[in-house]
Each structure stands twice: as structure tokens, then as C-alpha cells.
Amino acid sequence: MAATSPCMIALLRSSGHRWRLSPSATATSPPRLRTLPPCRCRLNPSSSSSSSNRPAAVSMAPSNLRHGLIAPVHATAAGGGGGGAATAPSSGLPSLVGAVHLVVSLGIVLASDKYLKQAFAAAAIKFPSALFGMFCVFSVLVVLDAVAPALAKGFMDFFEPATLFIQRWLPLFYVPSLVVLPLAVRDVPAASGLKIFLITFGGWFASLTVAGYTALTVRKIVKTQLIPAEPMSKPSPFATLEFWAWGAIFVASFAAAYVNPTALGTTARTCLPFLLASTVLGYMVGSGLPSGVKQVLHPIICCALSADLAAVAYGYLSRSGVDAVLGDYLTKTPSNPGAGDVLMGFLGSVIISFAFSMFKQRKLVKRHAAEIFTSIAIASTFSLYSTAVLGRLIGLEPTLTLSILPRCITVALALSIVSFFEGVNSSLTAAVVVLTGLIGANFVQAAMDRLGLNDPIARGIGTASSAHGLGTAALSAKEPEALPFCAIAYGLTGIFGSLICSVPAVRQSLVFIAG
């Protein structure tokens, strides 16, 4: 709940701008109503059989409204009539309703993920529980869309605040393993570290090439015409109030932990608020850097450095040492969680949220199924087996090779995949996944240009299949036409990789190849 508090505080600040079309407002400013496009008033769910059949302007209006309730933006004049905007009355009620909606929808997703984990653990089922939850949600949406489209739309609308919240803060959930990387690689020899980097960089380029050219080849065979996709929602920039709120949490909790290191019972719980705040502040600062600086200092790197600096400062002042603080950052103990455990607790929810993005783009998936599924199946299989082969050829230790097998798969599912194998280093897994994403974010566009991958489908699938979410975020800023295919491939690559690794014969073959 600590992660959502500043969002709720900033929520109240922006409510006046987002809800100006109340009855009292319309009575005093009729000219402003007439300047609005008619399509923004068509909020009747029954006007269409499903959300995918609506025009882009109509489908985006409700989404933008809900987006404003989750991630506030600075007040600006809408449409062409900005004259009387300042005189419209504001009310805290819509903001309160939006906050409650966010908490309830996100709480249901988190509770579902927790329940599934407990049920799978009790039944000794190794298959990723969140992936099963994702399939269940997607199946429910498909069935509802077939028998009662209005219910499917209502289901999507209800959970949209949760999915937008997850989308906005997604990079934070990848960071904890990168923060504690100094502890994870301490026992890894320098020579092995160099081999891991070579496999990561060379494997990324090879996976991009295989996925991209596979998509191009299949497109030439099927010759399916490209059509516009459903609009994709984008997170809004962070508000100043959010930054100051997290800054206040950091200062107050850091001082409290310094005065009494066990004020909340354990050092991990006491350090949790300021370590979480330092991670969030690093992400906010990194997200606001100029694009040229981001190519060198990615927001995730900035985020991890911020948390590590806070750990160094507290370790020095408290004389506990940085290793002890990093150990409190990610304890992996449910009864004594640290800041990293709180953030990684959202990873299962990230997987479940894939169901909503795939359902939204279901028509696109159906139309281009040949390109999408063929490319993802080949690229995912190639990525896993090529990593095992390269590790064996250059003499990397088998346990380290197995730890980096899912290098091209998003962290949420990569950790589930390596849990199938014995003796792996999960912190190294997450760090290599993030490193792969950073390589893709910086070099994927130039590499695809050199390879001649100019088709939006090939570019989208190639990017997501080789560099998952970080590569997707980098590509979407300049190539929005490829974003839907990135979003689809981003989730499906991890899903397919998890499915094939759940087969015992596949796992045994990978272990045999790795040595």
C-alpha cells in the first residue's frame, strides 16, 4: 500500500480538472460544452458490441478519464474553449471514487495472485501460478465477449485502473534484483562475468535477427494486409506533488531508521520505507531526464543507483555496512519483507495483466496469428537453446548458464522459468534480463535498420522477442505503429518460454546441453 499512497495524494490535486462536466458546471458554462467533440459524450456501453469496434476517439475518451484518476496530469485547457476553465467548481468526490476504484481493482488482482501461489504451492505444482491466472482471465473475457459483450467491456473497464497502475510503475518491479546485484555476483569470477556479458549481447542480436527475419518470411507467405490496431494507453508524466510526497517519506523514514534501527520490529521493516522511497525517486528522476541522457543513464539504472546510494549512506551512518542494508532490501522472507520484496510482489500481477492487453488486441492477434505465433515460437526456442549451447561452447559454469537461459523473457516469467532448475542464481537471472533489455533499448532501432527489418510487425515482434519490456518502451516512443505488436510479443514470448520449459523433456535437454 505504501507504493500507492503518493498517487492517491496527487489524485486529489488533479480532480478539479478531470471532472468539470458536472451538472453545476454545465449550468454556468454552456459555450464550453458546445466546443467538445460529440464523440466524447458517447459513453453508453451499449452503443457497441465490444470496445474494439468503436472509433479511436470514442474508445480513448473513457480511458483518458480513468487514466487521469490514476496518474494525474497538470491542468490544461481542453478543446478550444479554455476561457472559463478556472471558474469551474471542483469536488473531491470523483477523486475519492477513483482512488477506491484503483485500490479495489488492484487489490483483487494482488489477492488473486497470492491465492494462486498458495494453492499451487500446496498442490506441489511447479507451473507458474500467475500464468495460469492469466489464462483464466483471458478465457473469461473471451467467453463474455462471445455471449455478453457488454459484460466483457464492463470487466475490462473495472480492472483498467489496476492495469494502468501496473503499466505506469512496471520498471520498478524489475529493479530489486539489480539493486542487490553486488551481493549476487560476489561469488561469480570475473572471467565468468565476461562470458555472461558476451552471451547476453551476442544472444540478444541473434534473437533479434531470428525473430525479425522469421516474421518477414511469414509475412511474405501469407501477405496479410496491415490494419490499424486498438489505441494503446500511455502513462502520464509524474506530478511534482508525487515527487515531494516520496521525498518527504524518504527523509522522515531515513531519520527514524537512523534513530531507532528496529523501530518497526526488524531492521528490514524499519528500512523498508526509505529504501522504497529512494527506489521510486530514482525512477521518477530517471524518467524525467532528457532523451540523450537516457541513452546512457536509463531510468532503471538511475533507479537502482538511487537505491544503492541510499543503502550506502545508511550503512555508513548506522555502521551496519552496505551488505547488511542490501540484505534487508531483498530478504525473500514473507514474514520479514524488505522494499525489494514489496516491489517484486507485483510481478505475478504483471503476468495476470497480460490477459487484458492481449484481449484488447485480440482482433490483431487473430488477423496476424501466422506471423506472431510462428515468430515467437521459433525465437523463444532459439533463445533458450542458443544460450545453453553458447554457455557450453565458451566454458561457462552449468549453473550460471541455466541461470541466464531466459535472458530474453520479462523478469516476471524469467524467475518462474529458472525455478524449474536446481542451483540457479535468481538474482543473476533478473540482472541479466534487465541488462538484455537495456542493450535492446539502446541499440534495437539501429540494429533493425542495418538488418533491413522495416516492416512494423517484424520490428515489433523482433524487439519484444529479444529485449522484452525495456526494448518495447524504447521503440514505442518513435514507432507507435509497431507498439501493438511489441505488446503482444512481449507477453507471448514469456508465456511460450514458460510453457515449453514446463515440459520435463525440454528441461532435461537444456540441462544436458549446458553441461
Side-chain angles (χ1 to χ4, degrees):
M1 295 303 295
T4 61
S5 300
C7 295
M8 295 179 185
I9 294 171
L11 235 151
L12 300 174
R13 181 170 176 258
S14 63
S15 60
H17 171 69
R18 286 292 182 182
W19 290 81
R20 287 198 180 106
L21 298 182
S22 61
S24 58
T26 56
T28 58
S29 56
R32 184 173 176 78
L33 272 176
R34 286 195 295 269
T35 63
L36 291 173
C39 61
R40 289 190 178 271
C41 299
R42 294 173 59 190
L43 300 179
N44 182 11
S46 62
S47 62
S48 173
S49 60
S50 67
S51 60
S52 61
N53 294 328
R54 292 177 294 171
V58 179
S59 62
M60 285 299 289
S63 176
N64 288 341
L65 182 59
R66 283 185 293 273
H67 197 181
L69 293 174
I70 301 164
V73 295
H74 299 290
T76 55
T87 62
S90 64
S91 169
L93 182 59
S95 295
L96 179 60
V97 172
V100 172
H101 189 183
L102 168 61
V103 171
V104 172
S105 60
L106 184 61
I108 291 175
V109 177
L110 290 170
S112 301
D113 175 48
K114 183 177 181 181
Y115 172 77
L116 286 171
K117 283 181 181 176
Q118 293 174 346
F120 273 52
I125 299 175
K126 277 200 166 186
F127 188 79
S129 58
L131 194 56
F132 174 79
M134 187 275 296
F135 284 128
C136 290
V137 173
F138 184 76
S139 299
V140 168
L141 286 168
V142 170
V143 172
L144 288 178
D145 188 56
V147 299
L151 287 179
K153 180 183 179 301
F155 194 90
M156 289 282 292
D157 290 346
F158 178 79
F159 284 101
E160 187 168 10
T163 57
L164 289 177
F165 176 88
I166 291 172
Q167 180 187 356
R168 191 181 193 226
W169 297 101
L170 182 62
L172 279 181
F173 311 144
Y174 297 160
V175 167
S177 295
L178 197 60
V179 173
V180 299
L181 185 61
L183 299 180
V185 301
R186 178 161 297 171
D187 297 328
V188 177
S192 297
L194 179 60
K195 293 175 182 177
I196 290 172
F197 178 78
L198 291 175
I199 293 174
T200 302
F201 191 88
W204 161 78
F205 184 79
S207 296
L208 170 66
T209 304
V210 169
Y213 280 122
T214 301
L216 276 182
T217 302
V218 177
R219 277 191 58 69
K220 290 179 180 178
I221 296 173
V222 298
K223 298 179 180 179
T224 306
Q225 183 179 0
L226 187 64
I227 61 172
E230 282 290 308
M232 303 288 291
S233 301
K234 289 185 178 181
S236 65
F238 295 106
T240 304
L241 179 59
E242 290 179 283
F243 181 84
W244 286 110
W246 280 108
I249 292 173
F250 173 78
V251 173
S253 57
F254 189 97
Y258 176 73
V259 172
N260 186 356
T262 57
L264 299 180
T266 65
T267 55
R269 292 197 194 101
T270 306
C271 293
L272 190 155
F274 81 79
L275 288 175
L276 179 63
S278 65
T279 309
V280 174
L281 286 170
Y283 178 54
M284 289 181 173
V285 171
S287 299
L289 293 175
S291 57
V293 177
K294 286 182 183 179
Q295 293 183 353
V296 180
L297 189 63
H298 193 276
I300 280 192
I301 298 295
C302 188
C303 184
L305 288 176
S306 175
D308 282 331
L309 287 175
V312 170
Y314 183 78
Y316 175 78
L317 294 175
S318 66
R319 298 183 180 179
S320 60
V322 64
D323 287 0
V325 182
L326 290 179
D328 287 336
Y329 184 88
L330 187 62
T331 65
K332 298 182 180 180
T333 305
S335 60
N336 185 34
D341 299 284
V342 171
L343 293 174
M344 294 189 73
F346 284 89
L347 289 177
S349 303
V350 171
I351 299 173
I352 294 176
S353 70
F354 289 162
F356 297 98
S357 58
M358 286 196 301
F359 178 77
K360 189 173 184 180
Q361 301 295 345
R362 62 195 181 281
K363 291 187 176 180
L364 199 67
V365 173
K366 184 177 180 180
R367 182 177 181 84
H368 298 283
E371 302 100 301
I372 293 171
F373 289 103
T374 303
S375 302
I376 289 172
I378 292 177
S380 300
T381 305
F382 172 82
S383 173
L384 291 168
Y385 279 95
S386 64
T387 303
V389 170
L390 287 174
R392 181 70 174 267
L393 289 177
I394 66 176
L396 184 64
E397 292 87 338
T399 55
L400 296 180
T401 301
L402 295 175
S403 297
I404 65 173
L405 280 180
R407 55 183 172 74
C408 292
I409 295 172
T410 183
V411 171
L413 285 168
L415 295 178
S416 297
I417 289 174
V418 295
S419 67
F420 289 131
F421 302 94
E422 300 292 337
V424 297
N425 186 335
S426 59
S427 295
L428 178 62
T429 301
V432 167
V433 170
V434 173
L435 176 61
T436 302
L438 292 173
I439 292 173
N442 284 285
F443 302 111
V444 68
Q445 288 177 290
M448 289 191 296
D449 290 341
R450 291 289 183 91
L451 292 171
L453 301 175
N454 301 318
D455 185 88
I457 295 181
R459 292 177 77 86
I461 293 175
T463 298
S465 297
S466 62
H468 48 81
L470 297 182
T472 295
L475 188 70
S476 65
K478 296 181 179 179
E479 301 182 28
E481 68 278 3
L483 177 59
F485 300 98
C486 279
I488 294 167
Y490 165 51
L492 289 179
T493 299
I495 292 168
F496 187 84
S498 299
L499 290 175
I500 62 174
C501 284
S502 66
V503 179
V506 173
R507 293 200 302 271
Q508 292 169 6
S509 64
L510 289 169
V511 171
F512 174 77
I513 294 172

